[in-house]
Amino acid sequence: MLAPERAPPLPLRPAIHYLGTNPVHREALRTHLSLLGYDLAACHEVSDVEEALELGGVLALVIGAESLDRWLNERRSEIDASMATRAPLVVLSDHDDIEVRLRAMRCQAESMFVLPDDANRIAPRLAGMIADRSEPYRVLVVDDDNSMRLFCASVLRHNHMETHAAATPEDALQALQTFTPDVILADLYMPQISGFELLALFRAHPRTAFTPVVLLSGDTDTEKRFAALHIGGDDYLTKPIRPRHLVAAVTNRARRARWMRRELLGAR
């Protein structure tokens, strides 16, 4: 009796990984990615992807729509928690419907491509996402509480982000001369200035007019939360802040900010 055919070993050098069972999609990916110099590693099991992620061999992960349920059900939570900061994840499908998009969203996918319409868009978009990941997200932390500044900076640096901490609005504005943040974390209540006023200062500054601002507060008043979002805040986290909530909020905002910049530049 012949032994079952073993899957070929994953490449040793970093590659774009494909988790799916559609050979047409796989070969279309391989063809378009090769034009930009990327290797494609075809993964048959979720465990293959997890192993490659742990070894740092995943430049980006493409999941076929038919394999979304497997990824959702079989992935390990610790892999899922750090996936967003380690490699872009996109979904590939041959049809566009709400159920596929919902499962893609639950996987924290950054984008979904539908073949054959998006065939020529996949490789350039993945290249842009990979370039984003090669440069750490930059976060400006503004809080008069030293322990909170240290906490936020430590959590974000542990998740491969670059931080600059400022204790006062003056320090924060001074930092903008040499540090361009992807996201700003700002305490809603500080001596002599409110978070609302600080937010207005950032919105009026040419280097941060469109930078996402996540406000931090120990106040659970929903009216205050609504007011913060109404005047231009992008998110609101209530202290004490769980590290995974902090990482998720910052990562999602930074990723979207870079995506918007990339799309605007591409449209010119």
Side-chain angles (χ1 to χ4, degrees), residues 138-156:
R138 297 179 296 273
V139 186
L140 176 62
V141 182
V142 189
D143 199 311
D144 63 300
D145 185 330
N146 185 56
S147 62
M148 180 56 64
R149 289 198 310 276
L150 291 175
F151 167 77
C152 291
S154 175
V155 169
L156 297 175

Side-chain angles (χ1 to χ4, degrees), residues 95-199:
H95 60 285
D96 189 358
D97 64 49
I98 188 66
E99 289 301 322
V100 175
R101 289 194 176 274
L102 279 173
R103 291 201 298 274
M105 180 185 67
R106 290 166 185 157
C107 288
Q108 299 182 352
E110 294 186 41
S111 189
M112 179 173 133
F113 299 103
V114 180
L115 293 181
D117 293 350
D118 293 333
N120 293 324
R121 298 177 58 239
I122 297 173
R125 286 291 299 275
L126 283 172
M129 293 176 186
I130 292 168
D132 280 351
R133 287 301 197 284
S134 68
E135 182 183 354
Y137 294 140
R138 297 179 296 273
V139 186
L140 176 62
V141 182
V142 189
D143 199 311
D144 63 300
D145 185 330
N146 185 56
S147 62
M148 180 56 64
R149 289 198 310 276
L150 291 175
F151 167 77
C152 291
S154 175
V155 169
L156 297 175
R157 283 199 301 268
H158 181 72
N159 284 272
H160 318 292
M161 301 186 208
E162 183 181 342
T163 66
H164 185 100
T168 67
E170 291 82 6
D171 291 344
L173 294 177
Q174 181 71 22
L176 294 178
Q177 296 182 18
T178 57
F179 185 80
T180 303
D182 294 299
V183 177
I184 298 170
L185 288 177
D187 187 16
L188 191 56
Y189 299 107
M190 290 188 293
Q192 300 179 338
I193 187 172
S194 72
F196 302 108
E197 293 171 323
L198 181 58
L199 179 57

